[in-house]
Amino acid sequence: MSDNPFEAKTLASTRANSASLKFCQRSIDDTVSELQTDLATGLATNQDVLNRRSLHGVNELSNDEEENIVLKFLSNFYEDPLILLLIGSAVISFWMGNTDDAISITLAITIVVTVGFVQEYRSEKSLEALNKLVPAEARLTRNGSTSTVLASSLVPGDLVHFSQGDRIPADIRLTEAVHLTIDESNLTGENRPVRKTTAALSNANDTPLITQRTSIAFMGTLVRDGHGSGIVISIGAKTEFGAVFEMMSEIEKPKTPLQQAMDKLGKDLSVFSFIVIGIICLIGVLQGRSWLDMFQISVSLAVAAIPEGLPIIVTVTLALGVLRMARHKAIVRRLPSVETLGSVNVICSDKTGTLTQNHMTVTKIWSTDFKGSFNSPFLIVEKLDDKSLHEQLTKNMHRVLECGSICNNARYSLENEKYVGNPSDIALVECLPHFGLDDSRATKERIYELPFSSSRKYMAVCVHSGDMDKAETIVKGAAEKVLGLSNRYYDENGDIKPLTDAIKKTILQKSDELANDGLRVLGFARNNKKFVTEKEDAEPFELVFSGLIGMKDPPRPNVSKSIALLMKGGVHVIMITGDSPATAVNIAKQIGMPIVGENAVITGDQIDSLSEEALSDVIRNVSVFARTTPEHKVTIVKAFQRRGDIVAMTGDGVNDAPALKLADIGIAMGKNGTDVAKEAADMVLTDDDFSTILSAIREGKGIFFNIQNFITFQLSTSIAALTLIALATLFGLPNPLNAMQILWINILMDGPPAQSLGVEPVDAEVMTKPPRKRNDKILTKQVIKRVLQSASMIIIGTLYIFIKELKVDEITARDTTMTFTCFVMFDMFNALACRHHSKSIFEIGLTNQMFNFAVLGSLFGQFCAIYVPFFQAIFQTEALYFSDLVHLALLCSTVFIGDEIRKYFVKKRTLQTNGFHYGV
């Protein structure tokens, strides 16, 4: 029984306008005719595409209607209990005749709610932007040209192609299905993949269920094996997936661990603040102060002291950080991953496409009839011009290149003016013109294909040139695997001879020599037998081995520098590849990976022979895993995690998905990665470049420090405001700040100055620091010390000004204005000090433009509050002399100077510690 709640509705879907129901019973020719398209070239003109798009719309499933922004804004006034208390206070003030107070409180409430709403709206928009960073794509043929496009651009009649790991972009009538099985569990609830065919269903009395429509590939389902092509028959809401989309209620995503920690911190501080505020209010009333004044002060203090905006600022900071990473080609799909990035201390990386450029070129060829050149037994392609290659092309080599051409799925894209597909396939086709050869696929008709898989390690096709009785089978793959399927070979005269052990040994020796040069080696074989089977385990047999081709995939330009920086920061970088140990070691040395000790290189067979405990023991010194399968990746991740390491794992294939999910950070390839891998991953590299991981880890570490910085700012401000009012009330002094002024301070604490600390540019120094431990608290002893130091200086300085200005028992507008301005200036200097936890501001400079504008804007607002008559009435202030401002600026800068002194001693102590360490 399926657990899918939509199964009953889906399986019973009998919509009269269902395109899948209609076309599953139509032949391919009828489908092509009805949709007015072409089976080989797709839709012919852009105007036709535009007409179809205007008729059918965009291939997207629209979300629920957006909530009215005005209503959402107004809801903030009655959903927050503290705001309701302030509104009640304003109503009471108006009822008692204190019209000025009522108007002031109302304006203050509006400002506070607006700032909070803007923050939340910004957070939501940032998260919406994240959801658009990894749009669905499809391989499309239009007017004979094949290219990768956004799935949203598809229209009915389009010809699309898909292979293992791809997500079907629309409802499609299949026109080609090679070993094609599709996982439809997210649509039907059935976990078993469905074998697809191109045959139309025979007309039946009963309406075929979705699971019976084997000639249709449904939107949103996943290709588990094989590949295929088809004609788009319906898009968007008109697909079968669109029919059940309306039934899906949105599930609220769980908060990230960091957000949960911030929620807990906020709740703990709220409880503490409420207790202090309650005591302040009680003491004030017992001292005979107006209960309404104490009520207003207490509620305003609660709004200011309780960091209700903390989780929002955390979300905004994480989201903006993720958007910055996207500009560096690293798309983080889940916010919690940002926290984990700063803790990664092991990176397991694929070789091909990540550490290397993923652009293969054929460099060496070997066959038994080649006599050698340049003192080498191989034909060295890169050292010869086209004329020389023509002259040295032997009969057997011609067979090898022909095999590489026919057993090939690369397609030519007119739009991109190059071949697209598997890099090895592309390399085999691109080298043909250098030998004066043409692509042989145009003269052959393929009748069967056994696609490459990581378990088979080879690909086979069966083709003929017009006569089915003269069909032939061609195989390419790992040399030892192809050799195992062969029982004969072409000798130096081009004759077919039995494959003896001596010849096998020679072939494997040549394969090893190519691998030792860091080349990917492919073996080729063929026979004149027909190979067509539906059996899962069937293999071609009695093949004639033809020869070997070695191809080079050079390392990416910046990868060695990135590895050096990661190793300097305490990150263990490991290469995982399916290539031979010799090839892997050659590439590892080129990119600067240390190969030290007998356990530096481990093969897949060795992994299988070791227990989990034994593997965990030896794995600390491993730099390269060779001859591995995707299944080995899971074992490797578990072994590292068993040691307590935080593991990042890269992958691109369907079988990599379990390891990507298991890893602390799964990293999928954006260009060559399958949709399954991307969905399982936490991060997608849009350029498939290893150096991008370095940028992402740098951002992850930087974001964590930025969060600590703005928490330091918020807590020091909150503690200072609470303590200031508490001390004044305790000693029987008038309240140094009125309700409006406290609310303005709250805006500064939760608003632009605090947010700007969250987008502080990442300091390159973070990469020299060791990875953060998984259980490290964000509120460390060092952070608490900084908070208490800053809060103490703000309290002492503000109390000094208040007591100095307080001449009589009756507080004046000047007294509160001086105290109010003093606190705000302290806050601005404190924000400046909080930009970096250990570096002087004179070192980092004024590089954070958002911070600069936030502080200037806050100071402008403060000057408006004390010099503009309208705001003077609201905040109950009066104009100050220029000398007053100079005096306050000098006094308030002490919090900045004090933190600079602290940073100096921290730096000095660090240098002494490092010096002692290096001395040892």
Side-chain angles (χ1 to χ4, degrees):
M1 188 73 177
S2 169
D3 294 328
N4 191 326
F6 312 117
E7 178 183 3
K9 169 79 175 178
T10 306
L11 294 179
S13 178
T14 57
R15 293 179 301 146
N17 62 346
S18 170
S20 70
L21 178 62
K22 173 183 176 182
F23 285 102
C24 72
Q25 301 177 74
R26 300 280 180 92
S27 68
I28 294 175
D29 290 339
D30 289 343
T31 302
V32 170
S33 175
E34 183 165 342
L35 292 174
Q36 297 179 359
T37 186
D38 188 274
L39 197 57
T41 60
L43 298 177
T45 65
N46 290 333
Q47 188 58 48
D48 187 16
V49 173
L50 291 174
N51 291 340
R52 293 178 190 232
R53 186 168 295 132
S54 64
L55 181 64
H56 297 281
V58 180
N59 184 29
E60 291 179 343
L61 295 173
S62 58
N63 294 316
D64 296 336
E65 291 185 9
E66 290 188 8
E67 188 178 349
N68 186 293
I69 193 169
V70 176
L71 296 176
K72 194 171 184 179
F73 173 70
L74 293 175
S75 69
N76 284 273
F77 286 93
Y78 57 80
E79 288 183 348
D80 189 338
L82 292 175
I83 297 299
L84 285 175
L85 285 173
L86 279 174
I87 293 173
S89 174
V91 171
I92 293 170
S93 296
F94 184 80
W95 178 59
M96 295 181 68
N98 297 332
T99 308
D100 290 344
D101 282 354
I103 294 172
S104 298
I105 294 171
T106 303
L107 285 172
I109 292 169
T110 305
I111 294 171
V112 170
V113 168
T114 301
V115 170
F117 174 75
V118 169
Q119 283 178 296
E120 190 172 351
Y121 182 78
R122 185 180 179 188
S123 172
E124 290 175 358
K125 288 299 175 185
S126 297
L127 292 174
E128 284 179 19
L130 298 187
N131 295 330
K132 297 176 182 177
L133 289 176
V134 194
E137 295 181 333
R139 273 178 290 161
L140 168 69
T141 295
R142 278 183 188 159
N143 197 24
S145 177
T146 302
S147 59
T148 301
V149 300
L150 293 178
S152 57
S153 66
L154 296 180
V155 296
D158 269 329
L159 175 63
V160 296
H161 316 279
F162 34 86
S163 56
Q164 187 184 43
D166 290 345
R167 185 172 288 283
I168 303 297
D171 278 6
I172 292 167
R173 172 61 169 93
L174 295 171
T175 59
E176 179 187 15
V178 179
H179 264 266
L180 183 64
T181 58
I182 296 181
D183 180 357
E184 298 179 346
S185 58
N186 61 349
L187 183 65
T188 66
E190 297 296 333
N191 291 321
R192 187 174 181 180
V194 178
R195 174 60 63 91
K196 295 293 183 176
T197 66
T198 58
L201 295 181
S202 58
N203 291 325
N205 294 327
D206 295 330
T207 301
L209 298 175
I210 282 181
T211 51
Q212 297 170 329
R213 302 173 195 177
T214 54
S215 59
I216 304 293
F218 298 102
M219 179 184 189
T221 57
L222 286 164
V223 180
R224 283 297 179 195
D225 197 12
H227 61 83
S229 301
I231 306 288
V232 174
I233 56 175
S234 59
I235 61 173
K238 295 179 181 178
T239 62
E240 295 296 341
F241 192 82
V244 299
F245 182 75
E246 300 170 3
M247 301 168 59
M248 300 182 183
S249 58
E250 277 197 29
I251 300 172
E252 188 176 350
K253 291 183 179 179
K255 291 188 176 181
T256 74
L258 183 58
Q259 286 174 303
Q260 291 173 350
M262 291 299 99
D263 283 346
K264 185 178 185 305
L265 177 62
K267 286 175 183 177
D268 292 344
L269 291 172
S270 299
V271 171
F272 175 75
S273 300
F274 269 125
I275 293 172
V276 174
I277 292 165
I279 293 171
I280 291 171
C281 185
L282 182 61
I283 292 174
V285 172
L286 292 176
Q287 288 175 342
R289 305 188 191 202
S290 165
W291 68 268
L292 180 58
D293 286 344
M294 291 310 301
F295 176 74
Q296 289 177 352
I297 288 288
S298 298
V299 174
S300 302
L301 201 55
V303 172
I306 297 170
E308 72 283 346
L310 200 56
I312 294 175
I313 296 180
V314 169
T315 303
V316 170
T317 303
L318 291 174
L320 292 178
V322 168
L323 291 172
R324 281 201 308 274
M325 289 184 200
R327 290 197 289 271
H328 292 294
K329 312 294 185 184
I331 297 174
V332 177
R333 300 183 65 249
R334 301 178 180 91
L335 280 184
S337 306
V338 179
E339 306 161 37
T340 313
L341 275 168
S343 303
V344 168
N345 66 332
V346 173
I347 297 177
C348 298
S349 176
D350 268 336
K351 176 182 75 69
T352 305
T354 310
L355 298 173
T356 59
Q357 295 179 23
N358 202 28
H359 183 79
M360 309 293 289
T361 54
V362 172
T363 58
K364 293 183 179 181
I365 305 176
W366 177 84
S367 62
T368 54
D369 60 351
F370 184 68
K371 304 304 179 184
S373 64
F374 298 103
N375 297 318
S376 171
F378 306 105
L379 175 60
I380 305 177
V381 178
E382 56 191 343
K383 286 190 177 182
L384 298 171
D385 57 23
D386 288 1
K387 183 180 179 182
S388 301
L389 290 174
H390 291 188
E391 293 171 353
Q392 299 209 31
L393 183 65
T394 66
K395 189 174 182 180
N396 284 355
M397 280 191 180
H398 186 284
R399 289 193 180 101
V400 173
L401 291 169
E402 187 181 40
C403 287
S405 166
I406 298 172
C407 193
N408 199 304
N409 283 328
R411 295 172 179 269
Y412 189 76
S413 170
L414 289 173
E415 182 180 348
N416 299 318
E417 297 184 345
K418 64 179 183 180
Y419 283 96
V420 294
N422 181 279
S424 297
D425 284 352
I426 295 171
L428 292 171
V429 178
E430 285 181 341
C431 80
L432 294 174
H434 298 297
F435 291 91
L437 302 177
D438 295 322
D439 188 348
S440 304
R441 286 178 293 177
T443 63
K444 306 287 183 181
E445 182 177 342
R446 186 179 294 187
I447 57 177
Y448 183 75
E449 177 186 338
L450 187 63
F452 178 87
S453 73
S454 58
S455 56
R456 275 192 293 269
K457 294 185 179 178
Y458 71 89
M459 170 188 176
V461 295
C462 184
V463 298
H464 67 82
S465 300
D467 187 350
M468 184 73 78
D469 294 332
K470 294 183 179 179
E472 56 182 332
T473 298
I474 297 171
V475 175
K476 75 167 182 202
E480 61 270 27
K481 190 66 180 178
V482 174
L483 204 55
L485 299 173
S486 305
N487 66 346
R488 292 167 295 165
Y489 78 105
Y490 291 105
D491 69 2
E492 61 274 10
N493 299 315
D495 298 327
I496 298 176
K497 294 290 181 66
L499 190 60
T500 63
D501 290 341
I503 297 298
K504 281 186 179 182
K505 185 176 180 180
T506 300
I507 293 172
L508 290 174
Q509 181 185 341
K510 300 302 179 187
S511 176
D512 289 342
E513 287 180 31
L514 290 172
N516 287 333
D517 289 337
L519 304 181
R520 172 177 289 181
V521 186
L522 290 178
F524 298 84
R526 63 197 302 169
N527 65 20
N528 293 324
K529 296 184 178 182
K530 187 176 179 182
F531 175 64
V532 179
T533 179
E534 290 298 320
K535 294 182 179 179
E536 294 288 341
D537 56 350
E539 292 187 326
F541 58 95
E542 296 183 355
L543 295 171
V544 183
F545 191 84
S546 303
L548 301 169
I549 289 181
M551 50 187 73
K552 179 172 65 177
D553 183 11
R556 289 184 179 270
N558 297 319
V559 72
S560 57
K561 182 180 177 182
S562 300
I563 288 175
L565 286 171
L566 285 166
M567 290 169 61
K568 186 178 179 182
V571 179
H572 184 190
V573 182
I574 289 165
M575 182 169 76
I576 301 178
T577 177
D579 289 339
S580 69
T583 302
V585 168
N586 186 288
I587 294 293
K589 288 179 178 178
Q590 289 183 48
I591 59 178
M593 292 182 67
I595 308 295
V596 181
E598 58 181 25
N599 290 326
V601 181
I602 290 183
T603 65
D605 291 338
Q606 288 174 292
I607 293 174
D608 293 334
S609 65
L610 292 171
S611 65
E612 289 185 8
E613 294 83 355
L615 183 59
S616 295
D617 290 337
V618 302
I619 208 168
R620 72 178 66 194
N621 299 317
V622 177
S623 295
V624 173
F625 287 96
R627 282 289 185 242
T628 57
T629 64
E631 289 76 15
H632 287 133
K633 284 190 175 184
V634 174
T635 307
I636 293 167
V637 172
K638 286 181 178 178
F640 277 114
Q641 289 178 333
R642 187 185 181 91
R643 298 178 64 241
D645 294 315
I646 310 298
V647 185
M649 169 68 75
T650 69
D652 55 9
V654 176
N655 292 330
D656 293 332
L660 292 176
K661 273 192 173 182
L662 180 63
D664 299 281
I665 292 284
I667 303 172
M669 302 301 109
K671 285 184 178 179
N672 297 307
T674 60
D675 288 338
V676 178
K678 291 176 189 176
E679 289 198 3
D682 305 289
M683 189 165 79
V684 178
L685 305 184
T686 59
D687 57 359
D688 293 8
D689 190 346
F690 181 85
S691 303
T692 306
I693 301 176
L694 178 73
S695 301
I697 290 178
R698 183 189 293 117
E699 282 286 351
K701 285 186 173 183
I703 286 170
F704 182 80
F705 286 119
N706 286 347
I707 289 174
Q708 282 189 322
N709 290 337
F710 74 62
I711 285 177
T712 302
F713 171 69
Q714 281 201 317
L715 293 187
S716 55
T717 303
S718 178
I719 291 171
L722 262 180
T723 308
L724 190 65
I725 303 295
L727 289 174
T729 305
L730 192 62
F731 291 107
L733 299 172
N735 284 321
L737 301 169
N738 61 41
M740 301 308 102
Q741 293 165 355
I742 293 172
L743 290 175
W744 172 247
I745 289 168
N746 174 66
I747 291 170
L748 297 182
M749 187 181 80
D750 281 344
Q755 287 190 30
S756 64
L757 291 173
V759 294
E760 189 71 30
V762 178
D763 185 1
E765 193 178 277
V766 299
M767 290 309 296
T768 63
K769 299 182 183 297
R772 185 169 54 87
K773 293 181 181 177
R774 190 195 295 267
N775 56 355
D776 277 357
K777 294 180 180 178
I778 197 163
L779 205 59
T780 62
K781 287 183 180 179
Q782 288 75 16
V783 171
I784 294 172
K785 286 179 182 178
R786 285 180 70 196
V787 168
L788 294 178
Q789 176 183 312
S790 299
S792 300
M793 297 186 76
I794 295 171
I795 294 163
I796 293 169
T798 309
L799 273 178
Y800 163 74
I801 288 294
F802 178 60
I803 295 171
K804 178 176 174 290
E805 294 294 326
L806 191 63
K807 304 298 183 183
V808 292
D809 290 340
E810 190 64 32
I811 193 166
T812 64
R814 175 177 169 80
D815 299 340
T816 56
T817 304
M818 285 289 286
T819 309
F820 175 39
T821 307
C822 179
F823 195 99
V824 170
M825 282 193 172
F826 261 126
D827 233 19
M828 295 301 99
F829 277 109
N830 185 31
L832 183 64
C834 288
R835 281 186 56 205
H836 200 283
H837 64 287
S838 62
K839 274 192 176 180
S840 169
I841 298 305
F842 301 105
E843 287 183 70
I844 62 176
L846 300 176
T847 53
N848 187 345
Q849 294 300 324
M850 182 177 173
F851 176 84
N852 299 336
F853 287 123
V855 170
L856 289 174
S858 300
L859 290 174
F860 176 76
Q862 181 64 23
F863 292 148
C864 288
I866 59 179
Y867 289 113
V868 177
F870 174 75
F871 291 110
Q872 283 178 338
I874 295 175
F875 290 100
Q876 298 170 21
T877 58
E878 66 176 39
L880 298 177
Y881 297 112
F882 178 73
S883 58
D884 292 330
L885 295 178
V886 173
H887 178 210
L888 290 175
L890 290 173
L891 174 67
C892 296
S893 64
T894 55
V895 70
F896 167 71
I897 294 169
D899 200 65
E900 286 290 301
I901 293 170
R902 180 195 64 80
K903 289 173 183 175
Y904 170 77
F905 283 109
V906 167
K907 189 173 183 179
K908 185 178 180 181
R909 191 163 55 248
T910 303
L911 288 172
Q912 288 174 344
T913 303
N914 288 343
F916 175 76
H917 173 74
Y918 294 135
V920 172

